[in-house]
Amino acid sequence: MSTANNDVNNNDANNEGLIIVSEEACKSVIDRPSAFIAVENVFASMASGDAYNFPVIREAIGYADALYGFKSGFDKKGKSLGLKSGGYWPGNAAKGLTNHQSTIFLFNPDNGKLRALVGGNYLTAVRTAAASSVSIAHLARKDSKVLGMVGAGHQSTFQLRAALEQRSFEKVVAWNKDADQLGNLKAVADEAGIPFESVDREQLCAEADVIITITSAFEPLLMKDWIKPGTHIACMGTDTVGKQEVDADLMAVATVFTDEIAQSISLGETQHAIKAGTIKESDITPIGAVINGDHAGRSNDDEITLFDGTGVGLQDLAVASAAAKLAVEKGEAQHISL
Protein backbone atom coordinates (compact mmCIF):
# COMPACT_ATOMS: atom_id res chain seq x y z
CA MET A 1 0.00 0.00 0.00
CA SER A 2 2.90 2.38 0.58
CA THR A 3 3.70 2.54 -3.13
CA ALA A 4 0.13 3.44 -3.97
CA ASN A 5 -0.05 6.22 -1.44
CA ASN A 6 3.38 7.62 -2.26
CA ASP A 7 2.39 7.80 -5.94
CA VAL A 8 -0.67 9.81 -4.99
CA ASN A 9 1.30 12.09 -2.65
CA ASN A 10 4.05 12.64 -5.24
CA ASN A 11 1.57 14.51 -7.42
CA ASP A 12 2.54 17.57 -5.35
CA ALA A 13 5.98 17.48 -6.90
CA ASN A 14 4.48 16.95 -10.35
CA ASN A 15 2.07 19.89 -9.93
CA GLU A 16 -0.80 17.72 -11.12
CA GLY A 17 -3.22 19.28 -8.67
CA LEU A 18 -6.10 17.57 -6.93
CA ILE A 19 -7.04 14.07 -8.08
CA ILE A 20 -10.76 13.37 -8.62
CA VAL A 21 -11.79 9.71 -8.82
CA SER A 22 -15.45 9.23 -9.71
CA GLU A 23 -17.73 6.38 -8.68
CA GLU A 24 -17.50 4.97 -12.21
CA ALA A 25 -13.71 5.15 -12.15
CA CYS A 26 -13.65 3.31 -8.80
CA LYS A 27 -15.80 0.54 -10.27
CA SER A 28 -13.45 0.32 -13.22
CA VAL A 29 -10.16 0.07 -11.29
CA ILE A 30 -11.02 -1.69 -8.00
CA ASP A 31 -12.05 -5.35 -8.08
CA ARG A 32 -12.63 -7.83 -5.25
CA PRO A 33 -9.05 -9.18 -5.13
CA SER A 34 -7.53 -5.69 -4.90
CA ALA A 35 -10.02 -4.70 -2.18
CA PHE A 36 -9.26 -7.90 -0.26
CA ILE A 37 -5.51 -7.22 -0.33
CA ALA A 38 -5.92 -3.57 0.71
CA VAL A 39 -8.18 -4.44 3.65
CA GLU A 40 -6.12 -7.43 4.78
CA ASN A 41 -2.96 -5.28 4.72
CA VAL A 42 -4.48 -2.44 6.71
CA PHE A 43 -5.87 -4.84 9.34
CA ALA A 44 -2.35 -6.21 9.71
CA SER A 45 -0.93 -2.68 10.04
CA MET A 46 -3.50 -1.80 12.69
CA ALA A 47 -2.63 -4.86 14.77
CA SER A 48 1.09 -4.12 14.57
CA GLY A 49 0.59 -0.51 15.65
CA ASP A 50 1.52 1.03 12.31
CA ALA A 51 -1.96 2.41 11.66
CA TYR A 52 -4.69 3.80 13.86
CA ASN A 53 -8.21 5.16 13.50
CA PHE A 54 -9.38 8.44 14.99
CA PRO A 55 -12.62 8.57 17.04
CA VAL A 56 -15.73 8.19 14.92
CA ILE A 57 -18.36 10.91 14.71
CA ARG A 58 -21.78 9.55 13.77
CA GLU A 59 -25.03 11.32 14.56
CA ALA A 60 -28.69 11.40 13.65
CA ILE A 61 -29.07 14.80 12.01
CA GLY A 62 -32.77 15.17 12.76
CA TYR A 63 -33.68 15.39 9.09
CA ALA A 64 -34.68 12.74 6.52
CA ASP A 65 -34.08 10.08 9.21
CA ALA A 66 -30.42 10.30 8.21
CA LEU A 67 -27.30 9.24 10.07
CA TYR A 68 -24.22 11.27 9.16
CA GLY A 69 -20.64 11.23 10.31
CA PHE A 70 -16.90 10.96 9.74
CA LYS A 71 -14.41 8.10 9.88
CA SER A 72 -10.74 8.96 9.69
CA GLY A 73 -7.28 7.69 10.48
CA PHE A 74 -3.61 7.47 9.58
CA ASP A 75 -1.59 4.55 8.26
CA LYS A 76 2.03 5.47 9.01
CA LYS A 77 3.37 2.50 7.08
CA GLY A 78 1.28 3.14 3.99
CA LYS A 79 1.26 6.94 4.34
CA SER A 80 -2.55 7.10 4.14
CA LEU A 81 -4.10 10.10 5.88
CA GLY A 82 -7.69 11.12 5.40
CA LEU A 83 -11.34 10.67 6.17
CA LYS A 84 -14.62 9.40 4.84
CA SER A 85 -17.59 11.70 5.18
CA GLY A 86 -21.11 10.42 4.70
CA GLY A 87 -23.88 8.36 6.18
CA TYR A 88 -27.16 6.54 5.74
CA TRP A 89 -30.30 7.99 4.16
CA PRO A 90 -33.03 5.32 4.45
CA GLY A 91 -35.33 7.05 1.97
CA ASN A 92 -32.83 7.05 -0.89
CA ALA A 93 -33.81 3.67 -2.33
CA ALA A 94 -37.26 5.02 -3.18
CA LYS A 95 -35.54 7.82 -5.11
CA GLY A 96 -33.35 5.45 -7.10
CA LEU A 97 -30.28 6.30 -5.01
CA THR A 98 -28.02 4.23 -2.76
CA ASN A 99 -28.98 4.57 0.91
CA HIS A 100 -25.31 4.86 1.92
CA GLN A 101 -23.69 8.02 0.56
CA SER A 102 -20.06 8.94 1.16
CA THR A 103 -16.94 10.63 -0.18
CA ILE A 104 -13.32 9.90 0.78
CA PHE A 105 -10.75 12.66 1.23
CA LEU A 106 -7.03 11.80 1.06
CA PHE A 107 -4.34 14.17 2.36
CA ASN A 108 -0.59 14.25 1.92
CA PRO A 109 0.81 13.44 5.41
CA ASP A 110 4.04 15.28 4.60
CA ASN A 111 2.39 18.69 4.21
CA GLY A 112 -1.34 18.37 4.92
CA LYS A 113 -2.45 19.22 1.38
CA LEU A 114 -5.63 17.66 0.03
CA ARG A 115 -4.49 15.14 -2.57
CA ALA A 116 -7.61 13.30 -3.75
CA LEU A 117 -11.39 13.21 -3.65
CA VAL A 118 -12.65 9.69 -4.19
CA GLY A 119 -16.23 8.51 -4.59
CA GLY A 120 -17.05 6.39 -1.54
CA ASN A 121 -20.29 4.56 -2.29
CA TYR A 122 -18.93 1.65 -4.34
CA LEU A 123 -15.73 1.50 -2.27
CA THR A 124 -17.74 1.30 0.98
CA ALA A 125 -19.56 -1.73 -0.36
CA VAL A 126 -16.45 -3.53 -1.64
CA ARG A 127 -14.34 -2.76 1.45
CA THR A 128 -17.15 -4.00 3.74
CA ALA A 129 -17.42 -7.18 1.70
CA ALA A 130 -13.64 -7.52 1.73
CA ALA A 131 -13.61 -7.34 5.54
CA SER A 132 -16.04 -10.23 5.96
CA SER A 133 -14.19 -12.07 3.21
CA VAL A 134 -10.89 -11.64 5.10
CA SER A 135 -12.55 -13.02 8.23
CA ILE A 136 -13.83 -16.05 6.32
CA ALA A 137 -10.41 -16.66 4.79
CA HIS A 138 -8.72 -16.66 8.20
CA LEU A 139 -11.40 -18.06 10.54
CA ALA A 140 -13.96 -20.25 8.76
CA ARG A 141 -13.55 -24.03 8.61
CA LYS A 142 -11.83 -25.14 5.42
CA ASP A 143 -14.63 -27.62 4.72
CA SER A 144 -17.45 -25.05 5.02
CA LYS A 145 -20.14 -25.95 2.48
CA VAL A 146 -23.25 -23.87 3.28
CA LEU A 147 -23.25 -20.07 3.33
CA GLY A 148 -26.01 -18.22 5.16
CA MET A 149 -26.97 -14.65 4.27
CA VAL A 150 -29.03 -12.50 6.66
CA GLY A 151 -30.17 -9.32 4.95
CA ALA A 152 -30.79 -8.47 1.31
CA GLY A 153 -30.00 -4.77 1.04
CA HIS A 154 -27.61 -3.01 -1.33
CA GLN A 155 -24.43 -4.40 0.25
CA SER A 156 -25.64 -8.01 0.44
CA THR A 157 -24.71 -8.92 -3.15
CA PHE A 158 -21.19 -7.56 -2.63
CA GLN A 159 -20.93 -9.68 0.50
CA LEU A 160 -22.14 -12.81 -1.25
CA ARG A 161 -19.84 -12.50 -4.27
CA ALA A 162 -16.79 -11.93 -2.06
CA ALA A 163 -17.65 -14.77 0.33
CA LEU A 164 -18.15 -17.30 -2.46
CA GLU A 165 -14.50 -16.84 -3.45
CA GLN A 166 -13.18 -17.92 -0.03
CA ARG A 167 -14.56 -21.45 0.32
CA SER A 168 -16.04 -24.16 -1.91
CA PHE A 169 -19.62 -23.45 -0.92
CA GLU A 170 -22.24 -25.84 -2.29
CA LYS A 171 -25.40 -24.01 -1.17
CA VAL A 172 -26.60 -20.56 -0.16
CA VAL A 173 -29.44 -20.14 2.34
CA ALA A 174 -30.83 -16.69 3.01
CA TRP A 175 -33.32 -14.76 5.13
CA ASN A 176 -34.60 -11.22 4.87
CA LYS A 177 -37.42 -9.47 6.69
CA ASP A 178 -39.05 -8.99 3.30
CA ALA A 179 -38.45 -12.27 1.49
CA ASP A 180 -39.45 -10.68 -1.82
CA GLN A 181 -36.14 -8.80 -1.80
CA LEU A 182 -34.05 -11.98 -1.90
CA GLY A 183 -34.09 -12.05 -5.71
CA ASN A 184 -30.78 -10.18 -6.01
CA LEU A 185 -29.03 -12.76 -3.83
CA LYS A 186 -30.58 -15.63 -5.76
CA ALA A 187 -29.34 -14.07 -9.00
CA VAL A 188 -25.76 -14.03 -7.65
CA ALA A 189 -26.03 -17.65 -6.54
CA ASP A 190 -27.47 -18.59 -9.94
CA GLU A 191 -24.53 -16.87 -11.66
CA ALA A 192 -22.18 -18.97 -9.55
CA GLY A 193 -24.13 -22.15 -10.25
CA ILE A 194 -24.89 -22.70 -6.56
CA PRO A 195 -28.34 -23.76 -5.23
CA PHE A 196 -30.19 -21.04 -3.35
CA GLU A 197 -32.96 -21.37 -0.77
CA SER A 198 -35.02 -18.85 1.18
CA VAL A 199 -35.40 -20.13 4.77
CA ASP A 200 -36.37 -18.90 8.22
CA ARG A 201 -33.64 -17.74 10.58
CA GLU A 202 -33.54 -20.85 12.75
CA GLN A 203 -33.19 -23.15 9.75
CA LEU A 204 -30.49 -20.89 8.33
CA CYS A 205 -28.46 -21.26 11.52
CA ALA A 206 -29.01 -25.03 11.56
CA GLU A 207 -27.64 -25.41 8.02
CA ALA A 208 -25.01 -22.71 7.56
CA ASP A 209 -21.31 -23.22 8.22
CA VAL A 210 -20.65 -19.52 7.57
CA ILE A 211 -23.18 -16.76 8.26
CA ILE A 212 -22.97 -13.13 7.15
CA THR A 213 -25.34 -10.61 8.73
CA ILE A 214 -25.67 -7.34 6.83
CA THR A 215 -28.72 -5.49 8.13
CA SER A 216 -29.67 -2.28 9.92
CA ALA A 217 -31.36 -4.14 12.79
CA PHE A 218 -31.70 -2.80 16.32
CA GLU A 219 -32.59 -6.18 17.83
CA PRO A 220 -31.02 -9.66 17.75
CA LEU A 221 -31.93 -11.61 14.64
CA LEU A 222 -29.90 -14.75 15.46
CA MET A 223 -30.07 -16.48 18.83
CA LYS A 224 -27.28 -18.31 20.63
CA ASP A 225 -29.12 -21.65 20.80
CA TRP A 226 -29.63 -21.70 17.04
CA ILE A 227 -25.92 -21.61 16.16
CA LYS A 228 -24.31 -24.99 15.55
CA PRO A 229 -20.73 -25.86 16.58
CA GLY A 230 -18.05 -24.87 14.10
CA THR A 231 -19.95 -21.94 12.61
CA HIS A 232 -18.18 -18.76 11.58
CA ILE A 233 -20.32 -15.60 11.80
CA ALA A 234 -19.40 -12.27 10.22
CA CYS A 235 -21.55 -9.51 11.74
CA MET A 236 -21.26 -6.62 9.29
CA GLY A 237 -24.27 -4.39 9.92
CA THR A 238 -23.77 -2.96 13.41
CA ASP A 239 -21.86 0.32 13.23
CA THR A 240 -23.90 2.62 15.47
CA VAL A 241 -24.81 2.72 19.17
CA GLY A 242 -27.99 0.70 19.63
CA LYS A 243 -27.77 -1.41 16.51
CA GLN A 244 -27.72 -5.18 17.02
CA GLU A 245 -27.87 -8.28 14.82
CA VAL A 246 -27.12 -11.25 17.10
CA ASP A 247 -27.94 -12.39 20.63
CA ALA A 248 -25.48 -10.89 23.12
CA ASP A 249 -25.25 -14.27 24.87
CA LEU A 250 -23.76 -15.71 21.68
CA MET A 251 -20.58 -13.75 22.36
CA ALA A 252 -19.98 -15.74 25.54
CA VAL A 253 -19.77 -19.05 23.64
CA ALA A 254 -17.88 -17.70 20.61
CA THR A 255 -14.27 -16.71 20.03
CA VAL A 256 -14.67 -13.06 19.11
CA PHE A 257 -12.58 -11.08 16.62
CA THR A 258 -13.01 -7.57 15.27
CA ASP A 259 -11.46 -4.93 13.05
CA GLU A 260 -10.83 -2.54 15.97
CA ILE A 261 -11.58 -3.29 19.62
CA ALA A 262 -12.31 0.29 20.70
CA GLN A 263 -14.91 0.73 17.98
CA SER A 264 -16.33 -2.75 18.49
CA ILE A 265 -17.15 -2.22 22.16
CA SER A 266 -18.53 1.29 21.68
CA LEU A 267 -20.68 0.98 18.56
CA GLY A 268 -20.12 -2.50 17.11
CA GLU A 269 -21.86 -5.80 17.74
CA THR A 270 -19.99 -6.47 20.99
CA GLN A 271 -21.37 -3.30 22.63
CA HIS A 272 -24.34 -5.26 23.96
CA ALA A 273 -22.33 -8.18 25.37
CA ILE A 274 -19.91 -5.75 27.03
CA LYS A 275 -22.79 -3.88 28.66
CA ALA A 276 -24.41 -7.15 29.76
CA GLY A 277 -21.12 -8.39 31.17
CA THR A 278 -21.15 -11.63 29.17
CA ILE A 279 -17.69 -10.82 27.77
CA LYS A 280 -14.81 -8.50 28.63
CA GLU A 281 -12.77 -6.30 26.34
CA SER A 282 -9.86 -8.72 26.80
CA ASP A 283 -11.98 -11.47 25.22
CA ILE A 284 -11.88 -9.70 21.83
CA THR A 285 -8.99 -10.15 19.38
CA PRO A 286 -8.13 -7.91 16.40
CA ILE A 287 -8.35 -9.87 13.15
CA GLY A 288 -4.99 -8.35 12.25
CA ALA A 289 -3.37 -10.44 14.99
CA VAL A 290 -4.46 -13.56 13.12
CA ILE A 291 -3.23 -12.16 9.80
CA ASN A 292 0.16 -11.36 11.38
CA GLY A 293 0.43 -14.82 12.93
CA ASP A 294 0.25 -13.53 16.51
CA HIS A 295 -3.02 -15.38 17.19
CA ALA A 296 -3.91 -18.87 15.97
CA GLY A 297 -7.44 -17.91 14.95
CA ARG A 298 -9.72 -20.95 14.89
CA SER A 299 -8.40 -23.66 17.21
CA ASN A 300 -10.71 -26.57 16.30
CA ASP A 301 -13.60 -27.55 14.05
CA ASP A 302 -16.23 -27.20 16.80
CA GLU A 303 -15.27 -23.67 17.80
CA ILE A 304 -17.75 -20.91 17.01
CA THR A 305 -15.89 -17.87 15.67
CA LEU A 306 -17.44 -14.43 15.30
CA PHE A 307 -16.08 -11.39 13.49
CA ASP A 308 -17.50 -8.00 14.43
CA GLY A 309 -16.95 -5.89 11.33
CA THR A 310 -17.66 -2.37 12.49
CA GLY A 311 -16.14 -0.70 9.43
CA VAL A 312 -13.10 1.44 10.21
CA GLY A 313 -11.90 4.55 8.43
CA LEU A 314 -8.57 2.96 7.56
CA GLN A 315 -10.39 0.44 5.34
CA ASP A 316 -11.79 3.32 3.32
CA LEU A 317 -8.42 5.05 3.09
CA ALA A 318 -6.74 1.83 1.97
CA VAL A 319 -9.11 1.12 -0.91
CA ALA A 320 -9.37 4.80 -1.86
CA SER A 321 -5.57 5.08 -2.04
CA ALA A 322 -5.45 2.03 -4.28
CA ALA A 323 -8.24 3.47 -6.43
CA ALA A 324 -6.46 6.83 -6.78
CA LYS A 325 -3.19 5.19 -7.80
CA LEU A 326 -4.83 2.89 -10.34
CA ALA A 327 -7.08 5.62 -11.74
CA VAL A 328 -4.04 7.84 -12.36
CA GLU A 329 -2.13 4.97 -13.98
CA LYS A 330 -5.05 4.08 -16.26
CA GLY A 331 -5.93 7.66 -17.16
CA GLU A 332 -9.31 7.51 -15.40
CA ALA A 333 -8.67 10.26 -12.84
CA GLN A 334 -9.40 13.96 -13.30
CA HIS A 335 -7.02 16.68 -12.09
CA ILE A 336 -8.02 20.15 -10.90
CA SER A 337 -6.34 23.00 -9.02
CA LEU A 338 -7.87 24.40 -5.85
Side-chain angles (χ1 to χ4, degrees), residues 81-85 103-107 114 116-118 317 320:
L81 175 67
L83 63 90
K84 180 174 79 170
S85 172
T103 303
I104 300 164
F105 300 73
L106 298 175
F107 297 85
L114 179 63
L117 290 178
V118 184
L317 303 187

Side-chain angles (χ1 to χ4, degrees), residues 217-235:
F218 280 81
E219 61 183 3
L221 301 175
L222 305 183
M223 307 308 294
K224 181 193 74 171
D225 293 341
W226 298 350
I227 306 299
K228 67 180 183 179
T231 302
H232 173 63
I233 308 166
C235 299

Side-chain angles (χ1 to χ4, degrees), residues 1 11 26 34 158 162 177 187 198 212 229-230 237 239 253 265 302 308 331:
M1 293 303 299
N11 278 352
C26 287
S34 58
F158 292 89
K177 186 175 181 180
S198 171
I212 298 174
D239 59 0
V253 298
I265 65 176
D302 289 331
D308 181 13

Side-chain angles (χ1 to χ4, degrees), residues 251-270:
M251 302 288 178
V253 298
T255 304
V256 181
F257 301 85
T258 191
D259 40 25
E260 184 185 64
I261 292 176
Q263 191 160 293
S264 173
I265 65 176
S266 61
L267 51 77
E269 193 63 40
T270 68

Side-chain angles (χ1 to χ4, degrees), residues 12-338:
D12 273 342
N14 297 331
N15 295 317
E16 293 183 359
L18 177 65
I19 299 168
I20 308 292
V21 187
S22 69
E23 288 286 341
E24 289 306 311
C26 287
K27 293 176 184 177
S28 174
V29 300
I30 293 293
D31 56 13
R32 286 187 296 277
S34 58
F36 183 101
I37 292 170
V39 169
E40 185 179 49
N41 285 346
V42 84
F43 284 165
S45 292
M46 288 168 58
S48 64
D50 291 319
Y52 55 96
N53 294 283
F54 305 151
V56 174
I57 297 173
R58 188 169 174 86
E59 301 288 342
I61 66 173
Y63 181 77
D65 292 325
L67 294 171
Y68 179 74
F70 303 90
K71 290 183 176 182
S72 57
F74 177 51
D75 181 354
K76 182 168 59 176
K77 184 177 180 180
K79 299 297 189 293
S80 288
L81 175 67
L83 63 90
K84 180 174 79 170
S85 172
Y88 182 75
W89 273 256
N92 275 6
K95 304 173 185 176
L97 300 172
T98 302
N99 287 349
H100 290 88
Q101 292 289 326
S102 59
T103 303
I104 300 164
F105 300 73
L106 298 175
F107 297 85
N108 187 330
D110 293 321
N111 56 31
K113 290 184 64 176
L114 179 63
R115 299 310 308 127
L117 290 178
V118 184
N121 295 345
Y122 168 76
L123 293 184
T124 296
V126 295
R127 68 80 151 149
T128 306
S132 64
S133 184
V134 167
S135 82
I136 293 169
H138 289 278
L139 298 173
R141 295 192 337 264
K142 300 297 183 183
D143 63 349
S144 297
K145 299 300 182 185
V146 180
L147 174 61
M149 295 294 304
V150 178
H154 171 71
Q155 291 195 19
S156 65
T157 55
F158 292 89
Q159 293 283 332
L160 179 53
R161 287 191 172 94
L164 290 176
E165 296 173 347
Q166 301 308 316
R167 293 292 185 268
S168 299
F169 291 110
E170 297 176 353
K171 183 181 180 181
V172 175
V173 291
W175 175 88
N176 190 60
K177 186 175 181 180
D178 181 358
D180 292 339
Q181 295 180 357
L182 290 171
N184 287 341
L185 290 175
K186 183 179 185 305
V188 173
D190 289 346
E191 288 173 8
I194 298 176
F196 178 91
E197 185 178 359
S198 171
V199 297
D200 63 34
R201 289 173 286 166
E202 191 167 358
Q203 182 180 343
L204 184 148
C205 294
E207 291 192 37
D209 302 304
V210 174
I211 301 172
I212 298 174
T213 61
I214 184 70
T215 74
S216 297
F218 280 81
E219 61 183 3
L221 301 175
L222 305 183
M223 307 308 294
K224 181 193 74 171
D225 293 341
W226 298 350
I227 306 299
K228 67 180 183 179
T231 302
H232 173 63
I233 308 166
C235 299
M236 306 306 298
T238 300
D239 59 0
T240 303
V241 174
K243 278 189 176 182
Q244 185 176 12
E245 295 188 299
V246 304
D247 181 11
D249 289 337
L250 173 58
M251 302 288 178
V253 298
T255 304
V256 181
F257 301 85
T258 191
D259 40 25
E260 184 185 64
I261 292 176
Q263 191 160 293
S264 173
I265 65 176
S266 61
L267 51 77
E269 193 63 40
T270 68
Q271 63 180 285
H272 306 285
I274 290 290
K275 289 176 183 177
T278 57
I279 65 170
K280 305 182 298 296
E281 181 176 336
S282 59
D283 295 323
I284 308 170
T285 301
I287 187 71
V290 181
I291 297 168
N292 289 335
D294 297 325
H295 188 286
R298 171 176 292 277
S299 61
N300 61 71
D301 286 345
D302 289 331
E303 184 178 16
I304 296 171
T305 54
L306 186 147
F307 174 67
D308 181 13
T310 65
V312 294
L314 285 168
Q315 289 173 249
D316 300 296
L317 303 187
V319 293
S321 296
K325 174 183 181 292
L326 292 170
V328 169
E329 289 178 351
K330 297 182 178 183
E332 298 196 36
Q334 302 174 49
H335 299 271
I336 65 171
S337 296
L338 288 180

